[in-house]
Amino acid sequence: MSATVSGLGATAFTRLDAYPTRALDSSSLTAVDHSAPLLPTWGKLIDSVLDIHNLRDDWDGEGSEAPAPGAVDGALHLAMALRDRQERPADRVVPSVNGTVYFEWHLPDAYREIEVTGPSRAEVRIVQKGSDAVEAFVIGL
């Protein structure tokens, strides 16, 4: 007995991301709305976290340590949890030079980042537009 596998793209999970669409014509056909701003999808962000997992020491050519496996595991867990809650995808996810993983949102009214520091811990920082005060707190994953 053989199994059939259908390709859903190169992402690491099987849920399709929503794309902004618009009506193509009056017969209810839709097309991707290219006038809508393109944001990374959770699928692409999850793929980026998986890429971060493969980084080694000196990944940036400046001597930075490789992201800690626990931080990458926590980042993957966080990304999937936010995706499942249908949160707005981060604008980007990046490794830090000290072995953690950052998610960043550049919102119209605020800048928000989540730094995943371990498998079950992250630090959230929010700066409201026009403010220099930082709201910071720790969350469990």
Side-chain angles (χ1 to χ4, degrees):
M1 182 174 202
S2 66
T4 303
V5 178
S6 63
L8 294 176
T11 61
F13 67 100
T14 58
R15 291 190 185 168
L16 299 177
D17 290 310
Y19 293 96
T21 60
R22 62 174 170 77
L24 185 61
D25 60 29
S26 61
S27 66
S28 300
L29 296 175
T30 60
V32 173
D33 185 356
H34 294 287
S35 65
L38 294 177
L39 297 172
T41 62
W42 278 118
K44 290 181 191 234
L45 292 167
I46 289 168
D47 286 345
S48 293
V49 172
L50 293 172
D51 289 341
I52 290 169
H53 174 72
N54 295 323
L55 295 176
R56 300 293 171 241
D57 286 342
D58 196 32
W59 58 269
D60 62 352
E62 299 290 326
S64 296
E65 62 186 82
V72 178
D73 290 346
L76 187 58
H77 176 76
L78 175 65
M80 290 188 298
L82 292 173
R83 179 205 61 202
D84 291 348
R85 289 186 1 210
Q86 299 182 346
E87 296 286 340
R88 179 187 187 272
D91 294 312
R92 68 183 195 147
V93 58
V94 294
S96 74
V97 297
N98 62 352
T100 62
V101 179
Y102 277 91
F103 290 85
E104 297 180 351
W105 290 262
H106 299 267
L107 305 169
D109 60 344
Y111 168 79
R112 179 174 69 170
E113 68 182 26
I114 300 176
E115 179 183 13
V116 182
T117 58
S120 59
R121 185 177 186 278
E123 299 173 9
V124 178
R125 288 178 279 283
I126 302 169
V127 179
Q128 299 297 326
K129 185 175 182 177
S131 174
D132 59 357
V134 177
E135 178 184 356
F137 51 94
V138 175
I139 60 171
L141 304 176

